Amino acid sequence: MAVPFIPAQQVDVPEINFQSAVTLPAAKTALVIVDMQNDFVKEGGSLVVPTAVETLPILQSLLGSARTVGMRVAYTQDTHFADDPEYKIWPPHCKQGTWGWEIVEELAPAAEDLICPKSRYDGFYGTWLEHHLKVWQVENLVIVGTVASICVLHTAASAGLRWYNVVVPADGVSALTEFDQALTLRQVSWLYTGMVTRSVADIEFVS
Ligand code: ZN
């Protein structure tokens, strides 16, 4: 390691502690679907994460399992306006009212689901997510969606800081690079003491 420590082009991914099976009580668990919006997922979107579309059938299955056991479901919805300061960092995206802003139809929210419009990466910042999680009295959050290392990680981090038990399945999140995907899983499982699994199939909800 050189001092100052500047990473080389190639770094080893530290050990990630994948759980082989996670069982969660449905009444104490919420599914949080982060930013699965057309701009991030669908061809023609302004900020597409190429692997996000591949997570759609996986997340449909997870959402189906959650609904079957009557679990709470919350969505974050990245929401920006004209001249939004985030457009200095990213191309304009998820402008309120546009097609790109809409949640993908494959994961369409149900009437009873919570939708949390958010203006920054963290799903808790400036939103009513925390209020409703408290009202629901849930302790565990299964967090999926995109972009893994940005809005998923900031939301998972923010949940971890509030002492929620965070569970992130690797095949339920999508990043722009393999490094970013690994970084997300490493930070969630190590720094925020959450649980990560290789697949949504490793997570079971029980009534
Ligand atoms: Zn944004």
Side-chain angles (χ1 to χ4, degrees):
M1 185 188 300
V3 177
F5 178 42
I6 298 166
Q9 280 302 300
Q10 292 197 336
V11 294
D12 293 328
V13 177
E15 184 90 5
I16 295 173
N17 182 25
F18 287 105
Q19 307 291 317
S20 56
V22 174
T23 303
L24 298 168
K28 290 283 178 191
T29 306
L31 174 62
V32 180
I33 299 177
V34 175
D35 293 10
M36 289 299 285
Q37 295 160 258
N38 290 325
D39 264 346
F40 295 125
V41 180
K42 291 293 180 73
E43 191 179 341
S46 63
L47 211 52
V48 171
V49 179
T51 54
V53 72
E54 293 169 33
T55 66
L56 282 177
I58 296 163
L59 295 183
Q60 279 181 306
S61 157
L62 181 68
L63 182 58
S65 302
R67 292 206 193 288
T68 300
V69 291
M71 254 171 59
R72 303 284 191 174
V73 179
Y75 293 75
T76 69
Q77 185 173 25
D78 207 32
T79 300
H80 298 296
F81 300 90
D83 302 324
D84 195 289
E86 221 178 77
Y87 298 166
K88 294 191 178 103
I89 310 171
W90 307 100
H93 62 281
C94 298
K95 192 173 167 206
Q96 180 171 267
T98 63
W99 168 83
W101 169 73
E102 292 171 8
I103 292 167
V104 295
E105 60 185 9
E106 290 86 345
L107 301 171
E112 65 271 24
D113 294 339
L114 183 73
I115 298 175
C116 304
K118 67 173 184 54
S119 50
R120 300 251 52 209
Y121 311 143
D122 177 357
F124 287 83
Y125 174 75
T127 78
W128 61 4
L129 177 59
E130 184 170 19
H131 168 81
H132 287 280
L133 295 177
K134 279 189 176 156
V135 169
W136 296 344
Q137 299 184 303
V138 296
E139 298 165 0
N140 314 295
L141 303 180
V142 176
I143 303 180
V144 294
T146 205
V147 179
S149 59
I150 307 175
C151 293
V152 172
L153 181 55
H154 277 83
T155 301
S158 206
L161 294 176
R162 289 167 170 81
W163 300 113
Y164 286 101
N165 300 316
V166 174
V167 182
V168 175
D171 65 350
V173 297
S174 44
L176 290 164
T177 69
E178 203 174 342
F179 172 84
D180 291 337
Q181 186 88 347
L183 165 86
T184 304
L185 299 167
R186 159 76 175 177
Q187 293 295 76
V188 167
S189 58
W190 177 69
L191 184 58
Y192 302 111
T193 62
M195 291 189 283
V196 295
T197 65
R198 288 186 171 80
S199 168
V200 299
D202 298 328
I203 303 171
E204 186 187 13
F205 304 126
V206 291
S207 304

